[in-house]
């Protein structure tokens, strides 16, 4: 009796473990993002929903590059559609039923499964083409320096995962269809539809016994769902997190003109005080104008929460880097690497805190220099090409600017030329050493 | 001889100009950019625009300081400029520099300086549309002109059409580079790069961009930013095409067409 329920029990335990680990990972990401400074991005909610609907749900920036865009849309729609089937698989798994929706939905079920199969096949084709772009055509942006090692393996593993999952899905359907057609009296395996793609797999099984067919169907069914459980918890270690985080990331994206860089409010308070003729120079500092512990960012904790969310959201597609004028002309700067470094450092800091029971114990490292070099930071032209290129509204430029702010305001370590330029602005109101009184001299020979 | 009025003079006479022409540091001091300033002012006079300049009261907007990371110096400049602008009751500003344009438009409001800020190509377009400025067709007929999008005008503020409309009005053939509009390639000067040597690499950005411009086989390369102008002029020199392919601001194109 108990043995009869063993599969259900195993399934339930696996499901609970999966949900437990997944929740723990999501909470870990959340607590790491919370290490960042607060930033208010809750204004204009309707515009934010619209941004998310267009860019994350609607993939509007993705299709700016048509080939990758269309292939991605196929995989994305496939992912959304085929996951509807997960509901049935989970119910069947828990209750020991088989295709519980088939008798309920009748003809609709046939159409649904046919649609899933159609997309599963398209996803297979798209993913294989993706693999070819990476490994045979070897598109330049997939082979940059920052892609060596784990990022390269990660990208390929995701594609292998998807190939395996889709193949298992179609195999399980094919075996099922074979049983339905050849063994009408087999328990559980009722007629469920036309199975337009997997019928070809069923044809391959011709002559196979019922027992073997059931074994194939069961193995494929179990491996498919276990594969999904594993994939779900693989996300945390992977760039593939974008499938979840693209949504909050586009919701909380910067909606202002790209040229508008944030003004640091702590600086404003100080500057206004300097300009105020009534200010008492000996007065105690106003506590309401909270002085930050430092200007700009040298480590991940100095960045804001959106910048950290950006880092986790990055899927390393490299469109930013391929559009970056500095990178195109052989400079060290790669906006994608800025995002990957930020994420990797944040993960490292998160582990440190976890190991030390909630407290960050200085590890002699920081984002600046240990991950991102000053040479990279000073190569940026602030042209916003990276921000424009990102299909999910990640802003590498804001991190570069935060770090430049630290370099200049905390370390006074700008390149000499820039120090001269800033000295000129300070002394005569122009980046060059000209007298402010001469600003109007151009009118002389009009 | 054109007399350029300063806002201080106008205010003393009890006049308030409709629009302030923010000349910018390049437009005031750089020999090449001064020519753009003059061309623009000639058009303003020709179209009878009520304008004034700040002259010696103008100071750097702080853009290169902010992009270098010196938020303190930026805000010092901004607050000082805002005091001057608000003191004169300035409502509308036009500038031929996309960096000044962006900073005044996007970064000053939060610090107490809210103005209607437009780029000079937008003003010129308005003047044409209103019939205050006319362009005699013909001088650029059959000429191929390619327009380089300044990052701080294009991507940063989504102004792509005003300069293109002007070029088309000149009867010239507008040819686009392979990277244009939202995908426009930077000239290499932004983010305070203008004031420093580039980092080590395989090529300078302005050379890359100039190559893209030359691929369109243009008669003229048009720009809308004094810094882009410098970078592309240097690029054209590097390709030994100076004298052959001029790099001109859109205002210069119009001033020349009108023989101003």
């Amino acid at each position: 009796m108990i043995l009869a329920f063993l599969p259900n029990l195993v399934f339930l335990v696996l499901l609970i473990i999966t949900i437990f680990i997944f929740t723990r990972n999501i909470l870990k990401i959340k607590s790491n993002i919370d290490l960042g400074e607060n930033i208010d991005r809750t204004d204009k909610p309707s515009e934010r929903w619209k941004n998310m609907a267009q860019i994350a749900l609607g993939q509007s920036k993705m299709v700016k590059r048509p080939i990758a865009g269309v292939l991605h849309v196929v995989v994305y729609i496939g992912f959304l559609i085929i996951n509807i089937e997960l509901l049935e698989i989970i119910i069947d798994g828990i209750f020991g039923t088989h295709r519980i929706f088939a008798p309920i939905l009748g003809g609709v079920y046939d159409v649904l499964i046919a649609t899933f199969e159609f997309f599963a096949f398209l996803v297979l084709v798209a993913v294989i083409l993706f693999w070819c772009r990476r490994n045979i055509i070897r598109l330049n942006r997939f082979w940059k320096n920052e892609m060596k090692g784990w990022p390269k393996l990660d990208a390929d593993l995701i594609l292998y995962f998807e190939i395996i999952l889709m193949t298992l899905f179609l195999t399980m359907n094919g075996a099922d269809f074979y049983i339905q057609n050849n063994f009408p009296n087999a328990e559980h395996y009722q007629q469920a539809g036309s199975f337009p793609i997997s019928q070809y797999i069923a044809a391959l099984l011709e002559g196979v016994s019922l027992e073997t067919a059931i074994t194939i169907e069961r193995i494929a069914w179990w491996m498919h769902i276990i594969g999904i459980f594993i994939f779900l918890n693989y996300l945390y270690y992977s760039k593939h997190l974008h499938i979840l985080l693209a949504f909050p990331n586009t919701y909380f994206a910067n909606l202002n003109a790209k040229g508008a860089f944030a003004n640091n409010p702590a600086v404003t308070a100080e500057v206004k005080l300097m300009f105020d003729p009534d200010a008492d120079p000996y007065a105690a500092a106003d506590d309401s104008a909270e002085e930050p512990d430092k200007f700009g960012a040298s480590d991940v904790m100095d960045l804001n929460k959106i910048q950290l969310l950006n880092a986790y959201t990055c899927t390393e597609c490299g469109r930013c880097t391929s559009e970056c004028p500095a990178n195109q002309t052989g400079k060290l700067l790669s906006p994608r690497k800025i995002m990957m470094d930020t994420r990797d450092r944040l993960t490292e800091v998160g582990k440190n805190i976890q190991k030390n029971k909630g407290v960050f114990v200085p590890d002699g490292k920081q984002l600046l220099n240990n991950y991102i070099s000053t040479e990279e930071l000073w190569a940026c032209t602030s042209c916003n090409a990276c921000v424009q290129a990102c299909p999910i509204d990640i802003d590498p430029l804001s991190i570069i600017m935060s770090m430049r702010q630290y370099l200049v305001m905390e370390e006074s370590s700008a390149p000499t030329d820039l120090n001269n330029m800033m000295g000129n602005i300070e002394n005569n109101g122009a980046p060059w050493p000209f007298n402010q009184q001469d600003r109007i001299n151009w009118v002389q020979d009009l | 001889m054109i007399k350029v009025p300063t806002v201080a003079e106008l205010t003393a006479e009890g006049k308030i100009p409709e629009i302030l022409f923010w000349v910018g540091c390049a437009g005031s001091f750089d020999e090449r950019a001064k020519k753009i300033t003059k061309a623009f002012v000639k058009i303003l006079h020709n179209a009878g625009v009520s304008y004034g300049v700040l002259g010696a009261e103008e100071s750097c907007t702080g853009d290169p300081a902010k992009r270098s990371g010196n938020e303190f110096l930026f805000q010092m400049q901004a607050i000082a400029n805002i005091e001057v602008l608000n003191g004169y009751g300035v409502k509308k500003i036009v500038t031929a520099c996309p960096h000044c344009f962006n900073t005044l438009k996007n970064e000053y409001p939060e610090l107490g300086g809210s103005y209607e800020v437009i780029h000079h190509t937008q003003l010129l377009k308005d003047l044409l549309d209103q019939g205050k400025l006319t362009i005699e067709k013909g001088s650029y007929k059959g000429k191929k002109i390619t327009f380089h999008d300044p990052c701080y005008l294009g991507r940063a503020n989504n102004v792509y059409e005003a300069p293109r409309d002007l070029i088309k009005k000149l009867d010239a053939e507008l040819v686009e580079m392979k990277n244009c509009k939202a995908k426009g390639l930077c000239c290499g000067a932004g983010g305070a790069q203008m004031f420093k040597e580039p980092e080590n690499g395989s090529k300078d950005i302005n050379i890359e961009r100039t190559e893209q411009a030359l691929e369109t086989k243009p008669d003229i390369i048009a720009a809308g930013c004094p810094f882009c102008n410098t970078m592309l002029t240097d690029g054209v020199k590097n390709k030994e095409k100076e004298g052959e392919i001029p790099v001109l601001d859109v205002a210069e194109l119009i001033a020349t067409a009108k023989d101003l």
Side-chain angles (χ1 to χ4, degrees):
Chain A
M1 189 61 199
I2 290 176
L3 213 59
F5 289 107
L6 191 61
N8 310 32
L9 197 67
V10 169
F11 185 88
L12 203 60
V13 169
L14 287 178
L15 181 67
I16 290 168
I17 292 173
T18 301
I19 293 171
F20 175 78
I21 300 176
F22 180 70
T23 312
R24 205 188 54 177
N25 287 343
I26 292 293
L27 290 176
K28 237 189 263 177
I29 290 169
K30 165 106 180 37
S31 75
N32 283 354
I33 289 174
D34 281 342
L35 293 173
E37 305 274 345
N38 282 320
I39 173 171
D40 186 20
R41 288 271 176 86
T42 52
D43 58 324
K44 309 181 210 159
S46 62
E47 213 176 308
R48 296 192 173 282
W49 283 111
K50 203 177 125 196
N51 204 53
M52 186 175 91
Q54 279 177 351
I55 296 172
L57 199 67
Q59 310 253 306
S60 59
K61 286 180 90 179
M62 198 62 213
V63 292
K64 290 268 150 73
R65 293 195 183 186
I67 299 174
V70 168
L71 291 176
H72 187 269
V73 168
V74 166
V75 176
Y76 164 72
I77 296 178
F79 168 78
L80 291 182
I81 301 256
I82 298 166
N83 274 342
I84 300 173
E85 169 68 357
L86 263 190
L87 186 67
E88 181 178 55
I89 292 176
I90 288 171
I91 294 174
D92 283 347
I94 296 172
F95 298 103
T97 48
H98 186 73
R99 295 194 182 268
I100 188 163
F101 292 149
I104 304 170
L105 297 173
V108 177
Y109 187 83
D110 182 13
V111 174
L112 272 177
I113 294 291
T115 313
F116 299 157
E117 290 208 341
F118 181 63
F119 272 106
F121 179 70
L122 284 181
V123 168
L124 261 181
V125 173
V127 168
I128 289 167
L129 289 175
F130 273 147
W131 186 89
C132 292
R133 282 161 62 85
R134 273 181 193 272
N135 295 294
I136 294 176
I137 305 171
R138 294 168 73 105
L139 288 184
N140 191 26
R141 67 183 153 112
F142 300 133
W143 291 86
K144 297 264 176 189
N145 269 336
E146 67 267 21
M147 295 307 286
K148 289 191 177 126
W150 171 245
K152 164 85 176 78
L153 180 63
D154 182 21
D156 286 335
L157 281 178
I158 292 163
L159 298 177
Y160 298 143
F161 252 117
E162 286 171 4
I163 290 172
I164 291 170
L165 288 178
M166 291 303 108
T167 309
L168 287 170
F169 176 73
L170 290 171
T171 307
M172 132 194 146
N173 278 359
D176 206 316
F177 187 63
Y178 174 76
I179 301 166
Q180 289 168 30
N181 284 349
N182 294 286
F183 306 97
N185 299 323
E187 200 190 351
H188 288 319
Y189 294 93
Q190 75 268 40
Q191 291 287 335
S194 55
F195 296 84
I197 304 289
S198 63
Q199 58 167 315
Y200 299 106
I201 297 175
L204 296 177
L205 297 175
E206 215 45 65
V208 165
S209 71
L210 175 63
E211 288 67 32
T212 313
I214 291 179
T215 308
I216 293 172
E217 193 276 336
R218 284 292 87 194
I219 288 177
W221 188 94
W222 277 98
M223 282 177 69
H224 175 250
I225 191 65
I226 291 172
I228 287 172
F229 289 168
I230 293 173
F231 197 38
L232 191 66
N233 282 313
Y234 173 77
L235 292 184
Y236 175 73
Y237 305 95
S238 163
K239 74 189 188 89
H240 213 51
L241 262 177
H242 80 289
I243 62 170
L244 304 173
L245 298 184
F247 294 89
N249 199 70
T250 45
Y251 182 87
F252 292 116
N254 176 25
L255 299 178
N256 297 329
K258 289 192 187 65
F261 292 11
N263 293 324
N264 190 325
V267 175
T268 312
E270 212 168 305
V271 170
K272 287 216 162 131
L273 197 69
M274 292 181 69
F275 274 86
D276 183 2
D278 303 324
D280 175 3
Y282 302 107
D286 183 2
D287 286 339
S288 65
E290 205 182 311
E291 179 89 0
D293 10 321
K294 63 176 157 190
F295 292 108
S298 60
D299 210 344
V300 285
M301 300 79 105
D302 311 324
L303 295 169
N304 67 49
K305 290 178 183 174
I306 303 297
Q307 290 171 319
L308 300 183
L309 172 65
N310 277 185
Y312 272 124
T313 307
C314 176
T315 194
E316 303 169 7
C317 73
R319 291 187 186 198
C320 53
T321 294
S322 75
E323 299 284 343
C324 172
N327 193 278
Q328 279 179 29
T329 53
K331 276 80 171 176
L332 213 53
L333 174 62
S334 162
R336 168 173 57 190
K337 178 176 174 291
I338 301 284
M339 301 319 300
M340 293 166 71
D341 284 345
T342 304
R343 179 201 57 207
D344 292 347
R345 172 61 182 161
L346 182 56
T347 309
E348 185 177 59
V349 168
K351 276 187 194 151
N352 178 311
I353 291 174
Q354 203 181 12
K355 205 174 85 187
N356 297 299
K357 300 183 175 53
V359 192
F360 177 68
V361 176
D363 54 359
K365 287 202 260 179
Q366 57 176 4
L367 184 60
L368 179 67
N369 297 327
N370 297 105
Y371 286 82
I372 299 172
S373 67
T374 55
E375 185 178 338
E376 291 163 69
L377 296 171
W378 290 119
C380 174
T381 69
S382 75
C383 76
N384 262 309
C386 55
V387 184
Q388 181 82 38
C390 180
I392 40 179
D393 276 359
I394 290 167
D395 185 352
L397 175 54
S398 82
I399 295 180
I400 296 173
M401 284 300 140
S402 297
M403 295 185 77
R404 276 193 184 179
Q405 228 174 67
Y406 175 84
L407 286 174
V408 170
M409 295 182 75
E410 295 288 342
E411 288 194 334
S412 305
S413 63
T416 315
D417 290 340
L418 288 188
N419 279 331
N420 292 339
M421 177 271 289
M422 292 188 279
N424 289 328
I425 293 178
E426 226 172 311
N427 297 324
N428 35 276
W432 301 289
F434 293 112
N435 192 323
Q436 190 164 359
Q437 294 308 315
D438 295 338
R439 280 190 96 94
I440 191 96
N441 288 1
W442 58 271
V443 300
Q444 279 160 8
D445 52 340
L446 257 175
Chain B
M1 173 77 188
I2 290 172
K3 169 86 180 79
V4 178
T6 63
V7 180
E9 290 161 7
L10 291 169
T11 307
E13 295 166 25
K15 291 181 198 159
I16 300 168
E18 273 168 33
I19 192 161
L20 171 80
F21 172 28
W22 184 277
V23 183
C25 300
S28 302
F29 293 122
D30 181 82
E31 286 308 320
R32 176 67 191 86
K34 279 201 273 191
K35 291 183 185 164
I36 302 169
T37 308
K38 288 179 205 170
F40 181 57
V41 158
K42 283 175 187 169
I43 303 172
L44 290 179
H45 275 266
N46 183 272
V49 176
S50 154
Y51 78 98
V53 299
L54 284 176
E57 287 183 279
E58 190 185 279
S59 187
C60 173
T61 59
D63 160 83
K66 189 177 179 80
R67 268 78 196 160
S68 297
N70 196 336
E71 181 71 9
F72 190 76
L73 179 55
F74 159 70
Q75 292 203 17
M76 290 285 283
Q77 289 297 117
I79 303 268
N81 283 324
I82 289 167
E83 281 197 359
V84 174
L85 292 166
N86 289 354
Y88 285 120
V90 170
K91 299 271 182 294
K92 190 171 178 181
I93 301 175
V94 63
T95 175
C97 172
H99 296 267
C100 298
F101 165 73
N102 176 69
T103 304
L104 292 166
K105 183 179 161 67
N106 294 320
E107 289 162 359
Y108 276 28
E110 208 180 68
L111 302 172
S114 293
Y115 322 100
E116 185 194 341
V117 187
I118 56 171
H119 186 241
H120 70 313
T121 56
Q122 292 175 304
L123 180 70
L124 294 174
K125 170 89 176 28
D126 287 348
L127 292 174
L128 266 178
D129 290 347
Q130 293 161 9
K132 291 181 183 162
L133 178 69
T134 51
I135 299 178
E136 293 75 11
K137 302 209 168 194
S139 37
Y140 293 99
K141 197 161 180 61
K143 297 252 190 231
K144 277 164 89 173
I145 302 181
T146 188
F147 178 72
H148 163 78
D149 289 281
C151 303
Y152 277 86
L153 185 65
R155 264 190 302 275
N157 288 291
N158 296 316
V159 179
Y160 299 112
E161 293 312 321
R164 287 181 167 79
D165 286 346
L166 291 170
I167 292 170
K168 286 181 206 155
K169 286 262 165 55
L170 286 169
D171 235 6
E173 185 194 345
L174 176 67
V175 283
E176 295 290 0
M177 293 181 232
K178 70 172 180 192
N179 283 96
C180 65
K181 298 186 183 172
K183 282 177 76 84
L185 182 74
C186 176
C187 71
Q193 296 291 344
M194 181 72 194
F195 308 100
K196 61 183 267 295
E197 288 304 313
E199 271 56 38
N200 284 330
S202 54
K203 201 186 221 179
D204 282 342
I205 296 172
N206 67 323
I207 303 296
E208 177 76 20
R209 185 53 166 169
T210 305
E211 284 169 1
Q212 289 192 355
L214 294 178
E215 272 170 31
T216 68
K217 305 245 178 293
D219 297 301
I220 297 166
I221 298 171
C225 168
F227 298 107
C228 299
N229 196 309
T230 303
M231 297 306 270
L232 295 172
T233 303
D234 287 351
V236 170
K237 260 183 215 152
N238 180 282
K239 296 283 166 192
E240 296 177 346
K241 296 267 186 197
E242 76 259 47
E244 212 177 308
I245 301 170
V247 180
L248 295 172
D249 191 272
V250 178
E252 293 178 302
L253 291 176
I254 293 174
T256 312
K258 293 184 69 65
D259 209 12
L260 292 171

